[in-house]
Every structure is written in structure tokens, then in C-alpha cells.
Amino acid sequence: MGPVVFILLCWILYKKVYLQPDFDLRWQHIKDSLHNPLLWLVVLLMIVNWALESRKWQLLMAPLEKLSFLTAFKSVLAGCSITMLTPNRIGEYGGRILYINENNRLKAISHTILGSMSQLFVTLLMGTAGLVYFRFIGGQGKMLNIILSPFLLNILLYISVLVCIGLLLLYLRAGFLVTLINRAGVFKKLVKYIEHLSDFNRKQLLRILFLSIFRYLVFILQYMLLLHVLQVNIHPVVCFWLLAVYYLLLAFTPTIGFTELPIRAAASVQLLQVFSANILGIEVASFGIWLINLVLPAIIGSILILKVKIIKENDNSLF
């Protein structure tokens, strides 16, 4: 499937990127920003972003097998390429398994879910804090009501709080979940695939959670820097919490990787245009973040998948 994934991904990205409305104008804005060192800082932070995710993957896989940081990094990028082709990035595991021992691949599914839970919890927690800020603290609640009515804002806030609490309890009590499933006769066969979740102690889970927080702060900083480069002038505090709400809304929106761009662009414009009239800058920032954080790693990951396929074929030809 290596060559198929690579060709399919390249074709889809071409269709989605090149055929975007006002592509030439958006691309010109990005090229005009190339001289700005802040843009290159955004690219550098992309490496930091995926390096943090790779370290998380190392910690998550530790109970099953030891991965070097480089192997974990390759594994994460390979997963990034597959996730562009699946709903809500559920396919990232499909790329990561290429760098995992075959005997551990099914067992690693639950570890992948655990890592996703930690990142989702941080996204929902910060997004909820953003809703609280605009609703009760920042004084911009009326401006946000242009997008969401007070009723919908309250509903979103209550749902986010409940989901946050549920995720945190489930995340920190993963071992208890194993015990619970073991006692239930119907799902007892699943225990051998998730039993290693009991090996995570509270300290390890908190380390993974802190890495998720740092990663979240990195991609918030990336977005804020790119908005600044494109002259979308919003007060830093307001911008931070707006982006927190933005990522919260994306977390609740079903998407497929290559269809994220129009959804991201529409959501960012709806939120940020209340505080800035630079609509084109907002759209280009959304386009740029998508290219830097998702498309570029996905292309690199698809090449890695292709390379793994070639290496395996060469190895097999020796026997």
C-alpha cells in the first residue's frame, strides 16, 4: 500500500490545494511572507510540535517495546500521512504500526487511543477555558454572540465541561478500565490487547499529559505568529483564547484530513473576523497552518511509508 498511499495523497493534496478559491492570491501572500523570520519560526515550531508527539509515542509504547526517538519520529510522520485519508484522524495508527513489532501491533491500538485522549482532553480543557473567558471574564461575550447565541454558547460550555471530566477520569483510571473489562465475561477476550494499560502509573500518565499541553501551546503559538506575520492584528490574550475556542469547535466537527481546509478556513473566519477586518489574512493563516502542520508532515510521512515498502521488498528478495 506504500506507493498507493503516496500517489493518492499527492493527488488529493493537489486537488485540494491548487484548486482552492483565490489560490494565486493566497500563495502570493505566503511568498511575500518568506522574508519574515517569524514565518520560519513557525516552520521550526512544526518540528518541535511533532518532536513532542514523538516523545509521547515513545512513552506510550514503553510498556510494549522500546522505540528510539528517531524511530518514534518516523512512526509519527508515517501515521500523519495515513490520517489525511481517514475521518477525524483515526487512521494515524495505520502508519505508525509500520515501525512496531508485529506481535505488538494490536496491543498498541489502546496505547494510541490513550495518547489521543490526552491530547483531546487538553484541547477541550483549553477550549472550555476560552468559552469561560469570553462568557464571564474578557468582556467580549457580546461580540462572540454574533457567532453563537448565548443558548448555544452555554450548551457548548456544559457539554465541554462534562466531556472533559469524563475524559480525565477515564484517562487517569485506565488500569481500572482493564479490571472492569476483565470482570465482564462478554469482553474478556479483549483484555490481552489492553492489559498493558495497567502498567502506566500516575506519574507516567501525567508526563504524557504535560507533553500534550506543551504541544498544544506550540501550535497555538504557531497560529498566533502566522496571524501576526499576515497582519491580522488581534490582542494576544484575546487571540489566544479565540484560537482555543477555534480548536474546540474543530474537535467537535467530523472531518476527513484532506477536507479539513475549507472547514478550518470557514471556522477561523467566523471567529476571528469579529476582532479583525483582515479576512484574507485570516484565510491565508488557516491555509498556511494547514500546509505547515499537516500537509508537509504528511508528504514526508508518505515518502517514509514508500521507503519502508521498498526496504521490505528488498529484504524479502534476499530469501
Side-chain angles (χ1 to χ4, degrees):
M1 291 296 293
V4 175
V5 170
F6 178 75
I7 294 170
L8 181 61
L9 185 63
C10 288
W11 180 79
I12 288 173
L13 290 176
Y14 167 78
K15 298 284 286 186
K16 291 297 176 182
V17 174
Y18 186 72
L19 299 180
Q20 281 294 304
D22 302 321
F23 170 78
D24 293 336
L25 187 58
R26 296 184 188 188
W27 187 246
Q28 186 60 46
H29 268 66
I30 292 177
K31 288 195 293 185
D32 291 342
S33 303
L34 291 177
H35 67 279
N36 193 319
L38 289 180
L39 179 63
W40 296 107
L41 178 57
V42 173
V43 176
L44 178 62
L45 287 172
M46 179 269 289
I47 300 173
V48 175
N49 178 4
W50 291 108
L52 288 170
E53 180 62 22
S54 300
R55 177 56 181 156
K56 265 175 58 181
W57 184 233
Q58 265 189 305
L59 295 177
L60 286 163
M61 286 300 298
L64 290 176
E65 64 179 271
K66 302 297 181 183
L67 295 178
S68 68
F69 179 80
L70 181 59
T71 300
F73 197 79
K74 291 179 180 179
S75 178
V76 165
L77 291 181
C80 187
S81 67
I82 300 294
T83 199
M84 291 289 288
L85 308 174
T86 57
N88 283 56
R89 305 189 187 178
I90 61 174
E92 66 176 355
Y93 172 76
R96 293 188 182 191
I97 62 171
L98 294 175
Y99 294 89
I100 299 173
N101 188 296
E102 290 186 10
N103 296 328
N104 293 326
R105 288 178 177 176
L106 286 177
K107 296 176 182 178
I109 295 176
S110 59
H111 295 240
T112 306
I113 294 172
L114 191 67
S116 298
M117 284 172 57
S118 70
Q119 198 67 60
L120 179 60
F121 168 74
V122 173
T123 301
L124 296 183
L125 179 65
M126 297 301 291
T128 302
L131 291 175
V132 171
Y133 173 82
F134 287 112
R135 187 76 175 85
F136 303 107
I137 301 172
Q140 292 92 1
K142 291 183 179 179
M143 298 185 73
L144 204 61
N145 287 342
I146 298 173
I147 306 164
L148 293 172
S149 68
F151 174 75
L152 290 177
L153 197 60
N154 287 334
I155 291 294
L156 182 60
L157 180 58
Y158 297 146
I159 291 175
S160 299
V161 170
L162 290 175
V163 175
C164 273
I165 294 172
L167 270 177
L168 183 61
L169 292 175
L170 191 59
Y171 175 75
L172 294 177
R173 300 298 301 274
F176 174 74
L177 181 63
V178 175
T179 304
L180 197 64
I181 292 177
N182 192 32
R183 291 176 180 175
V186 180
F187 302 106
K188 198 169 182 178
K189 292 182 179 179
L190 294 176
V191 172
K192 64 179 180 180
Y193 299 115
I194 65 171
E195 60 186 356
H196 286 283
L197 293 180
S198 301
D199 297 335
F200 289 101
N201 56 44
R202 190 64 56 87
K203 183 178 178 180
Q204 289 172 313
L205 291 172
L206 289 176
R207 285 178 67 187
I208 294 168
L209 191 59
F210 281 127
L211 285 171
S212 296
I213 293 172
F214 291 142
R215 186 178 175 224
Y216 180 89
L217 293 176
V218 166
F219 53 69
I220 287 284
L221 178 60
Q222 282 181 289
Y223 216 137
M224 291 179 67
L225 288 173
L226 196 53
L227 287 169
H228 179 73
V229 168
L230 296 166
Q231 300 179 353
V232 179
N233 299 314
I234 303 175
H235 189 279
V237 174
V238 175
C239 187
F240 179 90
W241 291 118
L242 271 175
L243 292 174
V245 174
Y246 165 73
Y247 281 116
L248 171 70
L249 293 175
L250 287 184
F252 282 121
T253 306
T255 59
I256 296 177
F258 57 82
T259 66
E260 276 192 29
L261 182 55
I263 295 173
R264 282 171 169 262
S268 63
V269 168
Q270 286 297 314
L271 278 174
L272 301 180
Q273 71 178 349
V274 180
F275 299 89
S276 174
N278 187 359
I279 303 299
L280 182 60
I282 295 171
E283 290 179 340
V284 174
S286 178
F287 180 61
I289 286 293
W290 187 73
L291 283 177
I292 293 169
N293 274 0
L294 293 176
V295 174
L296 183 58
I299 291 174
I300 297 171
S302 65
I303 294 172
L304 289 174
I305 290 177
L306 184 61
K307 184 178 178 182
V308 168
K309 178 66 176 175
I310 291 171
I311 289 172
K312 287 188 175 181
E313 285 179 348
N314 288 339
D315 289 343
N316 290 336
S317 66
L318 297 176
F319 298 98

